[in-house]
């Protein structure tokens, strides 16, 4: 994987770059739709490519390992062939799922034992196994296995957790270096900076990760319960240390305004389930603010979902029609909302890129945040 830093904003740390993988190029900043079990919920691959204009999607190691399972994925020729997505794919390592299964998992030096959320069966992930699974999935960008520390963890827990993550990281790198992709193209491994909300731990973690000279680096363990301002503080601190000539991926973030704030602080890559999950619950993000489509006020509003929106669904359907579909739990409503929100997120980061290149990102961003955070 290669990264070219193309432009930097003169008044902030915002940057525009180009990532090159064997499955294509990615212009940054970039938002990655989340395809948890091999699909982005309610959205076809043709819509992702042609209308939403996604450049890369994310797959989930834990969920794909359980279903459809590694045998099926390997026999299919990897996730790209299984789900007919011919552009880049990034996989997480399963670390966040281990975090979210706190009541059904047990951590040790060797790895993490957990019970499946599907049938209660026991499984054991080691750093080596996380790499092996991602090799089978065939992601272009793989993530190191880590423990995602809760946002409210005390210092002692956060320190011990970081130390475990750093030992696991060394094992991930060793396994990655002694194995190869099964499908004839190159894969890369990103280490993850942890350390909770403690500046000395975050700085230490970032210095360790920077010293490894990986193709790119991730920032994890944020947007997991800590105050938003703490998240921004940690991102700023970490990006002071991480190398400028490598892409920086902020995992699992977040609201549209979070993306713009993080871009200003030097982040290049994002993923989040929010556009699809919130869309399925009737929340629509637009250039002029946020709509709750379940509200009575949209019942007889026959104007487009969004004038001059980012997707074909924006002018094809009215607010009244989308409200009706969502309120009667019609599957089409979930699909329209998901397509709209994903297209909006990707439009937003692409607009940020344009303004970084134009040199006026710092004046564009405050006005855009004011617009997109309105409640309509």
């Amino acid at each position: 994987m290669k990264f070219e830093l193309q432009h930097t904003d003169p008044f902030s740390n915002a940057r525009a770059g180009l990532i090159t993988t064997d499955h294509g190029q990615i212009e940054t900043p970039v938002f990655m739709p989340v395809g948890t079990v091999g699909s982005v919920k309610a959205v076809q691959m043709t819509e992702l490519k042609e209308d939403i204009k996604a450049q890369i999607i994310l797959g989930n190691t834990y969920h794909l390992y359980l279903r459809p399972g590694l045998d099926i994925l390997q026999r299919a020729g990897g996730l790209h062939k299984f789900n007919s997505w011919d552009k880049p794919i990034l996989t997480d390592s399963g670390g966040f799922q281990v975090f979210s299964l706190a009541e059904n998992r047990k951590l040790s030096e060797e790895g993490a034992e957990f019970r499946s959320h599907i049938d209660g069966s026991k499984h054991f992930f080691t750093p080596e196994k996380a790499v092996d699974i991602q090799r089978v999935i065939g992601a272009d960008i793989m993530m190191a296995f880590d423990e995602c520390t809760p946002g409210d963890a005390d210092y002692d827990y956060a320190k011990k957790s970081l130390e475990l993550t750093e030992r696991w990281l060394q094992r991930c790198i060793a396994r990655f270096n002694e194995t190869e992709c099964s499908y004839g193209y190159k894969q890369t491994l990103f280490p993850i900076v942890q350390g909770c909300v403690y500046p000395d731990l975050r700085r230490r973690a970032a210095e360790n990760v920077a010293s490894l000279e990986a193709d790119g680096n991730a920032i994890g363990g944020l947007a997991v319960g800590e105050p938003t301002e703490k998240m921004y503080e940690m991102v700023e601190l970490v990006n002071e240390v991480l190398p400028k000539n490598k892409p920086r991926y902020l995992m699992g973030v977040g609201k549209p305004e979070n993306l713009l704030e993080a871009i200003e602080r030097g982040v290049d890559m994002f993923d989040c389930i929010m556009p699809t999950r919130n869309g399925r619950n009737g929340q629509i993000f637009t250039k002029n603010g946020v709509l709750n489509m379940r509200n009575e006020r949209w019942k007889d509003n026959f104007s487009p979902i969004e004038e001059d929106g980012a997707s074909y669904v924006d002018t094809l359907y009215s607010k009244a029609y989308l409200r009706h579909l969502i309120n009667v739990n019609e599957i089409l409503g979930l699909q329209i909302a998901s397509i709209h929100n994903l297209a909006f997120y990707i439009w937003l980061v692409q607009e940020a890129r344009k303004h970084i290149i134009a040199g006026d990102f710092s004046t564009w961003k405050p006005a855009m945040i004011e617009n997109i955070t309105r409640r309509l």
Side-chain angles (χ1 to χ4, degrees):
M1 194 199 83
K2 296 179 182 177
F3 177 66
E4 177 190 351
L5 186 58
Q6 298 173 313
H7 296 273
T8 55
D9 178 60
F11 304 107
S12 74
N13 291 317
R15 353 114 34 94
L18 185 68
I19 296 171
T20 302
T21 76
D22 283 359
H23 279 101
Q25 294 186 320
I26 306 159
E27 293 181 339
T28 65
V30 65
F31 179 82
M32 302 178 283
V34 176
T36 304
V37 291
S39 73
V40 177
K41 284 187 187 296
V43 182
Q44 294 189 60
M45 295 301 173
T46 51
E47 291 166 327
L48 277 172
K49 293 177 189 176
E50 296 168 12
D51 188 54
I52 295 170
K53 297 180 173 57
Q55 302 178 73
I56 175 174
I57 62 172
L58 183 143
N60 187 286
T61 293
Y62 163 83
H63 287 284
L64 291 168
Y65 159 79
L66 292 176
R67 295 183 300 189
L70 301 185
D71 177 60
I72 295 295
L73 288 168
Q74 195 155 36
R75 286 162 58 194
L79 184 58
H80 287 92
K81 291 190 175 177
F82 187 58
N83 69 1
S84 299
W85 178 257
D86 59 4
K87 293 187 176 187
I89 293 176
L90 179 148
T91 43
D92 64 9
S93 67
F96 181 77
Q97 278 62 47
V98 170
F99 157 75
S100 63
L101 293 168
E103 295 180 1
N104 294 303
R105 56 98 162 138
K106 186 184 298 182
L107 297 182
S108 67
E109 186 66 35
E110 183 60 20
E113 179 186 276
F114 60 90
R115 289 190 178 273
S116 164
H117 71 289
I118 301 164
D119 59 9
S121 56
K122 277 188 179 181
H123 302 270
F124 194 75
F125 272 20
T126 64
E128 293 80 6
K129 187 170 184 176
V131 170
D132 292 345
I133 294 169
Q134 291 178 87
R135 287 291 198 193
V136 172
I137 293 170
D140 299 88
I141 301 173
M142 303 160 50
M143 306 305 298
F145 191 57
D146 64 336
E147 184 193 0
C148 180
T149 316
D152 60 355
D154 64 36
Y155 184 87
D156 287 342
Y157 183 96
K159 185 171 183 292
K160 289 176 182 176
S161 174
L162 174 59
E163 290 168 350
L164 180 63
T165 286
E166 290 180 335
R167 292 193 295 272
W168 282 357
L169 174 57
Q170 291 302 319
R171 290 166 57 189
C172 283
I173 293 170
R175 188 63 158 196
F176 179 81
N177 288 338
E178 67 188 20
T179 57
E180 293 184 356
C181 177
S182 305
Y183 312 116
Y185 53 84
K186 295 293 184 183
Q187 297 173 282
T188 194
L189 178 74
F190 282 18
I192 302 172
V193 176
Q194 289 288 351
C196 198
V197 295
Y198 302 104
D200 62 320
L201 297 183
R202 283 284 176 181
R203 184 173 295 280
R204 163 191 158 170
E207 288 171 350
N208 177 57
V209 162
S211 72
L212 301 172
E213 299 183 347
D215 288 337
N217 302 296
I219 307 168
L222 294 173
V224 289
E226 80 286 351
T228 303
E229 288 308 316
K230 270 291 177 188
M231 175 176 71
Y232 296 151
E233 180 188 335
M234 293 302 104
V235 167
E236 208 165 302
L237 184 155
V238 167
N239 282 344
E240 289 174 1
V241 178
L242 292 180
K244 291 181 170 59
N245 63 337
K246 304 291 177 68
R248 300 156 174 168
Y249 164 33
L250 180 57
M251 305 177 74
V253 176
K255 295 179 181 179
E257 60 267 29
N258 297 153
L259 270 60
L260 296 185
E261 293 288 358
I263 287 170
E264 184 177 54
R265 290 163 172 81
V267 173
D268 307 294
M269 304 171 69
F270 303 89
D271 80 283
C272 191
I273 61 171
M274 185 171 284
T276 48
R277 183 192 62 191
N278 288 30
R280 295 194 304 273
N281 287 293
Q283 187 175 60
I284 300 297
F285 301 100
T286 78
K287 301 170 187 176
N288 298 307
V290 183
L291 294 76
N292 180 351
M293 296 313 300
R294 295 188 185 276
N295 283 354
E296 186 78 9
R297 66 176 299 183
W298 309 120
K299 183 178 180 178
D300 58 355
N301 187 314
F302 303 109
S303 66
I305 295 170
E306 182 169 21
E307 299 281 357
D308 191 31
S311 165
Y312 79 96
V313 300
D314 294 326
T315 53
L316 186 60
Y317 303 110
S318 70
K319 296 181 180 73
Y321 183 59
L322 179 55
R323 178 186 181 276
H324 159 69
L325 294 178
I326 288 173
N327 280 345
V328 298
N329 296 316
E330 167 56 48
I331 293 172
L332 179 59
L334 313 183
Q335 185 179 21
I336 292 169
S338 297
I339 291 170
H340 166 83
N341 278 352
L342 286 171
F344 169 76
Y345 265 62
I346 288 173
W347 170 86
L348 184 65
V349 296
Q350 289 175 341
E351 283 295 297
R353 175 183 169 85
K354 290 177 185 176
H355 286 278
I356 292 166
I357 293 170
D360 64 351
F361 174 83
S362 293
T363 53
W364 169 83
K365 180 211 136 205
M368 179 54 64
I369 287 182
E370 184 178 348
N371 288 343
I372 64 178
T373 53
R374 292 191 189 109
R375 294 284 169 172
L376 300 177

